[in-house]
Amino acid sequence: MRDVAIIGIGMTKFGELWEKSFRELGIEAGLKAIADAKISGDLLDALYVGNMSAGKLIEQEHVASLIVDYSGYASRHLPAVRVEAASASGGVAFYEAYLAVASGLYDFVMVGGAEKMTDVGDAESNRELCATADNEWESIFGATYASLFAMMARRHMYEYGTTEEQMAQVAVKNHRFGSKNPLAHFRNTLTLDQVLNSSPVATPIKTLDCAPVSDGAAALVLCPWDHARKFTDTPVKIAGIGLATDTIALHSRRDMCTMDAVVRASSRAYHMAGVAPKQVNIAEIHDCYTIAEIIEIEDLRLVKKGEGGKATAEGVTDMGGRVVVNPSGGLKARGQPAGAVGIAQVVEIVEQLRGEAKERQVQGAEVGLTLNIGGTGATAFVSILKREN
Amino acid sequence: MQIPRFWRQIPSRYNLIGVQCENCKRIYFPPRTVCPECHRLSVGKMLPYKLSGMGVVHAFTQIYEPADGFENQVPYIMAIIQLDEGPRITAQIVDCGIEDVKIGSRVEMVFRRLGEDGKAGIIYYGYKFRLCK
């Protein structure tokens, strides 16, 4: 297996982008990534696209061919693959693209993620998110996606004493970061009181504990590490990757307060990268609900099990803390176009490792991690990215 | 939901029929064709097993932003129930207020209406739970 580098990144604004179609979003992110890599699109050997639910959300399947076509490469008959793994679709597409380059099958690969979620109303986009749980044994009984995370939160509060204030701190932190990100869905800051007083969704989860549904796309250009310096002075190495699965239904998990798939995926990635959790400087993780960030920093072993809430309240994951979590604003503020999330996380880490994150820059960041989960944790993908001078 | 898709799960949804692996005796709900412990050794040996419907609340929430078709029940209580035989399942808790529900509360299964396909469509029935007296 060869080492693989990221040489190009591109991302659209995330948000309610009514003026832009799915294909326009995908193309915009891809063109930005190609421009950033300073390569010709003719060099690309293949395209991977992460997308959760275009069939339901815009009644369009077969989106990998669609994107190749509207990129102007239909006449080159470029190989193109769509990857679906719920909200981890982007992360798993990245995993597939990495394997394709590492194995030597392809040299230059574009991997993107795209989702158009606001062409339908909230009820329909929420139904799509519910479909990432076990439809026949969770959703049919009235469980919503939020209610499943709410039960994880309730159990975490019961076992570890986590509080609603600690969860709210995640939203406050991530909105403060998002306010500095020009591509974020939400650029407003929040106070603790605003979060705590927002209307209940599924107790103890409130409106401002939830990430929004967004439109958006993000893309990367990958190539073998040995070629990378021909294109950029600041290639970022994919030092480790890990993918893992777990039971589709939350109720069948070994422990509702632990995402075992996150533990496994991160173990695999840490091992491959030769990196210990304490060496991670920045992490972009899957805060679809504030409790998710608290559980995930524990399962990534960035903090001790049960101490995710306390660590958040103490500023361990804030700017200046031991590991800065979600400097982009996370799903909470940067936004949640499901299939694009896993790629957007990588875009942020690459910007940070290159030192190009401007107001959001975490000084001295050398090792970054991304965590993209599907459903309530039935899929988890972790990548570890490194700057190498 | 399409009628056959609901119909084929009626034994489990009406009567809490799960399966027991004849090989290791573990009990599962909902039914599985393969035992996650015994794998190939369990093929053809996952036999129907009727659960008692008794259990305790493992986690719960009160839903204010409902799933599709549950609008007229808001707010309603969802829970993950730890059944006495081992499996955990997701279901509503009914006939009580949220203040009465605690982690560890003893519950029993009741047979209730789950929903319907619009005004003229079929009505779905199945399990919910209530607090034991």
Side-chain angles (χ1 to χ4, degrees), chain A residues 8-12 26 29-33 110-113 217-221 343-344 347:
Chain A
I9 55 173
M11 186 177 141
T12 69
L31 288 173
K32 282 181 172 172
M110 173 165 291
V111 50
L220 309 166
V221 177
I343 303 296
V347 168

Side-chain angles (χ1 to χ4, degrees), chain A residues 86-297:
Chain A
S87 39
S89 299
V92 182
F94 180 61
Y95 176 83
E96 292 295 327
Y98 166 85
L99 292 179
V101 177
S103 68
L105 180 64
Y106 300 129
D107 285 334
F108 292 88
V109 167
M110 173 165 291
V111 50
E115 206 80 48
K116 179 77 193 168
M117 303 185 81
T118 69
D119 275 358
V120 296
D122 281 352
E124 282 170 81
S125 53
N126 278 319
R127 190 163 55 217
E128 275 317 290
L129 287 168
C130 285
T132 67
D134 187 339
N135 190 289
E136 296 201 353
W137 302 103
E138 291 179 311
S139 313
I140 193 178
F141 296 97
T144 59
Y145 195 46
S147 71
L148 298 172
F149 280 90
M151 288 193 277
M152 283 190 224
R154 180 84 64 191
R155 194 74 208 175
H156 205 273
M157 293 165 80
Y158 175 79
E159 290 192 25
Y160 300 114
T162 300
T163 65
E164 294 182 44
E165 285 77 9
Q166 291 167 347
M167 289 185 239
Q169 294 279 6
V170 172
V172 171
K173 168 179 71 72
N174 291 354
H175 269 254
R176 181 157 27 77
F177 289 155
S179 73
K180 295 173 182 166
N181 185 346
L183 299 179
H185 187 154
F186 293 133
R187 302 203 61 196
N188 60 306
T189 56
L190 291 175
T191 66
L192 202 58
D193 281 345
Q194 280 175 310
V195 182
L196 290 170
N197 293 324
S198 60
S199 54
V201 173
T203 60
I205 288 179
K206 305 160 201 75
T207 302
L208 295 178
D209 285 304
C210 308
V213 296
S214 318
D215 305 327
L220 309 166
V221 177
L222 311 186
C223 81
W225 179 254
D226 291 344
H227 298 356
R229 297 233 180 244
K230 286 181 230 159
F231 302 96
T232 173
D233 294 332
T234 53
V236 167
K237 186 183 274 184
I238 304 171
I241 49 160
L243 178 62
T245 55
D246 202 346
T247 63
I248 187 84
L250 176 64
H251 55 231
S252 299
R253 304 272 163 81
R254 179 187 64 80
D255 172 13
M256 277 181 58
C257 297
T258 305
M259 295 184 195
D260 283 343
V262 173
V263 176
R264 284 304 183 88
S266 59
S267 294
R268 288 166 187 163
Y270 286 134
H271 178 74
M272 181 173 164
V275 162
K278 64 173 188 299
Q279 293 173 274
V280 174
N281 307 120
I282 44 172
E284 280 285 313
I285 69 174
H286 205 104
D287 56 331
C288 47
Y289 298 95
T290 52
I291 185 62
E293 178 168 316
I294 287 173
I295 292 176
E296 288 161 5
I297 56 176

Side-chain angles (χ1 to χ4, degrees), chain A residues 127 135-138 140-144 147 150-151 154-155 158 200-203 250-251 253-254 256, chain B residues 1 5 9 12-13 30 58-65 67-68 70 76 78-80 88 90 92 103 127:
Chain A
R127 190 163 55 217
N135 190 289
E136 296 201 353
W137 302 103
E138 291 179 311
I140 193 178
F141 296 97
T144 59
S147 71
M151 288 193 277
R154 180 84 64 191
R155 194 74 208 175
Y158 175 79
V201 173
T203 60
L250 176 64
H251 55 231
R253 304 272 163 81
R254 179 187 64 80
M256 277 181 58
Chain B
M1 184 171 273
R5 189 171 176 195
Q9 306 292 2
S12 295
R13 295 222 176 90
H58 188 72
F60 65 96
T61 177
Q62 187 164 40
I63 297 182
Y64 287 82
E65 291 190 13
D68 234 15
F70 289 77
Y76 59 96
M78 286 302 306
I80 289 181
R88 287 200 286 259
T90 301
Q92 282 191 47
I103 288 178
Y127 54 79

